[in-house]
Amino acid sequence: TQRIARHGLTRTFQNLRLFSALAVRENVTVAALRNHSGADAEELAAQLIGASGLWELRDRRASELDYGNARRLELARAAATEPEFLLLDEPTSGMNEAESLAMADDIRNVASLLGAGVVVVDHDLGFINRLCDSVHCLDQGVVVSSGTPEHVQADPIVRSAYLGVDPAPNTASPDRAP
């Protein structure tokens, strides 16, 4: 894991892995200590806590956070290692629509603050459409479509694989009456 982080990658997990006894700011500061010391780590932590929408909760223990805010904390803590790319595994898992759209904004804020790219795996189309500039859709491990969110969502192969929509328009066969 440290070797991967040294190459500029940090990831979050689908299942939360926080330091539950530590406060929000302590969780993020611990990660910032990878590249900074003392006041510099605390300053970076404060910026990321603000960018991820957790400023009001910065002194709460991680164990006291609701699920959506715990996800935001995991994002801020991962970002505190200052990666070139954040790899996010289902960051909106278990969130309602409003929470997942807010998470997209938080991810954009954090990535912008760091100048980092984001690679995300998720099944929430509203979230993906709000967050991503480019989408690669896989079906059973094979890329079936790539492009803008709008392009991929309109792709007949994607619509068939994920939405159950027939990829070809219905046409009457010559031996059947319309």
Side-chain angles (χ1 to χ4, degrees):
T1 303
Q2 290 179 3
R3 185 173 54 90
I4 293 169
R6 275 187 236 123
H7 290 310
L9 301 174
T10 300
R11 69 169 291 190
T12 63
F13 297 88
Q14 187 173 355
N15 298 320
L16 295 171
R17 297 183 180 183
L18 301 172
F19 301 120
S20 60
L22 298 182
V24 166
R25 64 181 166 71
E26 293 168 328
N27 263 275
V28 182
T29 301
V30 164
L33 288 169
R34 177 183 175 274
N35 295 326
H36 301 281
S37 61
D40 291 339
E42 290 174 7
E43 174 61 28
L44 175 61
Q47 291 175 359
L48 291 167
I49 289 166
S52 61
L54 292 169
W55 188 253
E56 304 279 325
L57 303 171
R58 67 189 177 277
D59 292 320
R60 286 234 181 116
R61 289 182 190 263
S63 62
E64 297 172 0
L65 298 177
D66 63 55
Y67 186 73
N69 285 318
R71 295 300 253 171
R72 283 182 181 77
L73 175 53
E74 187 164 67
L75 168 67
R77 191 180 66 183
T81 65
E82 298 179 290
E84 292 179 41
F85 282 93
L86 283 162
L87 308 177
L88 308 176
D89 184 8
E90 303 219 24
T92 62
S93 174
M95 290 185 171
N96 66 35
E97 183 178 356
E99 289 172 323
S100 71
L101 294 178
M103 178 61 108
D105 294 339
D106 294 336
I107 292 168
R108 281 190 172 275
N109 291 339
V110 166
S112 176
L113 179 68
L114 297 176
V118 177
V119 177
V120 63
V121 175
D122 209 296
H123 298 93
D124 181 340
L125 291 179
F127 166 75
I128 293 294
N129 288 338
R130 186 166 187 138
L131 177 65
C132 298
D133 299 320
S134 177
V135 174
H136 303 277
C137 182
L138 285 76
D139 184 19
Q140 303 206 22
V142 176
V143 176
V144 294
S145 185
S146 293
T148 65
E150 296 79 16
H151 168 80
V152 171
Q153 194 168 354
D155 188 314
I157 294 170
V158 173
R159 295 178 62 76
S160 175
Y162 287 95
L163 304 175
V165 176
D166 186 358
N170 289 335
T171 55
S173 65
D175 55 333
R176 288 185 26 200

